[in-house]
Amino acid sequence: MANIYNSRPRVLSGIQPSGNLTIGNYLGALKQWVEVQRDYDCFYCVVDLHAITAGQDPVELRQKTRESAAMYIAAGIDPEVSTIFVQSHIPAHSELAWMLTCMAPLGWLQRMTQFKDKVGKQNQESIGAGLLNYPSLMAADILLYHADLVPVGDDQNQHLEFTRDLARRFNHLYGETFTLPSVMNPQAGARIMGLDNPTAKMSKSETSDNHAVFLLDDVSRARKKIMRAVTDSYRDIRFSDEPERAGVNNLLTIYQAIKDESREEIEGDFADKGYGDLKKAVAEAVVSTLEPLQARYNELMNEAGYLDSVLKLGREKASAVAEPTLKLAQDRMGFLAPS
Ligand code: AQP
């Protein structure tokens, strides 16, 4: 349905505080968040309720939640322009998630690739049911804000499709209620791969040493990780979908996503260069991204009270949108309103 709720088109997205954010989280999500924030009414959420689906250390979760919010600002999200908030501060997310869980077909949930990947790594008997219901919570996050667009890396596209299907189902059963959101993937960097294994997505929870560049990595460590990235035994430097060339393709993609240049320009620049030159250029591009971001992050973490005030304001602004949507959905589903 057309968005009849918002005067300006709205954007919603979030990142789990489930570890240290990576260059993949930056290029797939954060960078686009910054780019669209002046064109849309943007809500950026630290999705801590999602972070408990894979188990968490309580002290670490609290810490990572603050760090993620600081990272959003350090990456360029302006809290005066966009709304930054913590998911668990808005109870409507959990409430709508339950309502949506009850109408989400089990078959749809079991078909989610992320669920199958994550379960595949663990003992099925002991995994938490939250991992299965993760997409219903994500749907609640998006639908509560009548978001028109959701800027994410392409690993989240299936969850977005699920959200649209669930919204359609709800609207069909109970009357037009939710706005159908569209996915927004970056032109370059929609899926950054692991430096040590370029056939697997770079993930913040992957523990091997050389897998990811973290946004808070010391720059000399970041350089080393890129210089050690897996490549191949070919010589020419070009973008390629061939699996055996995935390492070089990944380095070129990181470079392209940071430099915002076309593939042709980049291939031209590296036409007579070797893999060592490519790695050095990628390392410099990454370091030039990390340095200002880390400087701002450190300032923010030392600025007593500032982060809390941003999150308090964010909570108020998010609640003002989410609460009426929840009430509307509750009414449509037949819940008796409290007198
Ligand atoms: N490698 C990636 N390339 C491009 N985009 C990525 N994103 C994550 N990894 C890459 C995007 O970052 C946003 C936040 O993701 P998330 O933390 O909510 O969940 P995720 O996709 O499962 O990210 P991780 O880093 O892999 O987290 P863990 O290891 O905790 O599961 C999303 O927009 C995602 O597309």
Side-chain angles (χ1 to χ4, degrees):
M1 74 192 272
N3 194 335
I4 54 167
Y5 298 96
N6 315 330
S7 50
R8 284 175 69 204
R10 192 168 281 156
V11 158
L12 179 127
S13 198
I15 297 181
Q16 302 180 69
S18 49
N20 296 317
L21 303 198
T22 70
I23 194 85
N25 297 129
Y26 176 77
L27 297 174
L30 277 169
K31 187 168 178 279
Q32 337 180 54
W33 297 6
V34 176
E35 285 162 1
V36 299
Q37 70 176 330
R38 292 185 198 275
D39 300 329
Y40 298 94
D41 182 19
C42 297
F43 286 74
Y44 296 128
C45 181
V46 181
V47 290
D48 55 347
L49 295 169
H50 285 281
I52 66 171
T53 53
Q56 84 289 358
D57 172 79
V59 173
E60 205 172 306
L61 177 63
R62 242 185 304 279
Q63 179 64 16
K64 295 286 170 220
T65 301
R66 287 180 67 77
E67 288 177 10
S68 300
M71 195 52 89
Y72 290 7
I73 303 170
I77 305 299
D78 180 349
E80 309 255 322
V81 174
S82 303
T83 301
I84 300 174
F85 68 103
V86 176
Q87 183 187 31
S88 66
H89 291 180
I90 311 293
H93 288 250
S94 304
E95 294 180 60
L96 183 60
W98 173 248
M99 291 153 63
L100 295 177
T101 294
C102 292
M103 36 174 303
L106 197 53
W108 292 8
L109 289 164
Q110 285 170 330
R111 274 196 288 279
M112 293 293 119
T113 309
Q114 182 170 298
F115 171 69
K116 288 194 277 189
D117 285 352
K118 293 205 169 178
V119 166
K121 294 178 191 162
Q122 300 171 50
N123 172 7
Q124 295 215 18
E125 292 296 311
S126 58
I127 60 149
L131 214 49
L132 179 70
N133 288 317
Y134 184 110
S136 304
L137 177 57
M138 182 164 157
D141 301 338
I142 296 165
L143 299 178
L144 276 174
Y145 297 86
H146 297 293
D148 301 278
L149 283 173
V150 183
V152 282
D154 71 7
D155 61 317
Q156 296 299 329
N157 290 5
Q158 194 186 28
H159 289 164
L160 243 294
E161 208 37 61
F162 172 92
T163 300
R164 289 172 61 87
D165 289 343
L166 211 52
R168 256 190 226 107
R169 191 177 172 92
F170 190 106
N171 290 348
H172 174 72
L173 289 173
Y174 302 114
E176 289 297 312
T177 306
F178 294 123
T179 304
L180 298 193
S182 299
V183 71
M184 182 192 244
N185 295 139
Q187 287 197 335
R191 185 173 299 223
I192 302 299
M193 311 307 277
L195 296 174
D196 59 343
N197 173 9
T199 58
K201 189 192 80 151
M202 183 183 284
S203 273
K204 64 174 113 60
S205 56
E206 172 59 58
T207 49
S208 52
D209 254 9
N210 223 38
H211 173 76
V213 171
F214 295 107
L215 297 180
L216 291 178
D217 269 347
D218 176 75
V219 294
S220 63
R221 188 163 161 69
R223 266 200 194 91
K224 268 192 202 126
K225 287 181 179 176
I226 291 165
M227 295 311 290
R228 286 182 191 150
V230 168
T231 51
D232 53 51
S233 53
Y234 296 88
R235 295 177 74 85
D236 56 326
I237 297 178
R238 58 178 172 81
F239 288 90
S240 166
D241 293 335
E242 297 155 71
E244 66 272 23
R245 310 221 57 189
V248 169
N249 189 64
N250 192 37
L251 289 171
L252 284 167
T253 302
I254 294 172
Y255 189 81
Q256 186 191 15
I258 295 175
K259 294 285 195 180
D260 287 323
E261 289 172 10
S262 71
R263 287 182 165 207
E264 293 70 30
E265 275 176 284
I266 293 169
E267 287 177 343
D269 288 348
F270 288 107
D272 50 1
K273 306 252 169 63
Y275 286 176
D277 300 309
L278 171 65
K279 286 180 170 179
K280 275 191 207 135
V282 174
E284 284 324 304
V286 167
V287 165
S288 69
T289 300
L290 297 190
E291 275 176 337
L293 192 146
Q294 291 180 0
R296 179 76 184 113
Y297 174 85
N298 291 331
E299 274 170 23
L300 285 162
M301 292 307 275
N302 291 321
E303 219 171 308
Y306 175 69
L307 206 51
D308 296 320
S309 69
V310 167
L311 295 178
K312 182 168 181 287
L313 177 66
R315 178 186 180 180
E316 287 162 10
K317 286 164 68 182
S319 181
V321 177
E323 279 301 322
T325 314
L326 175 69
K327 292 224 160 44
L328 176 66
Q330 286 172 328
D331 180 58
R332 294 268 157 89
M333 274 188 113
F335 291 106
L336 179 67
S339 47

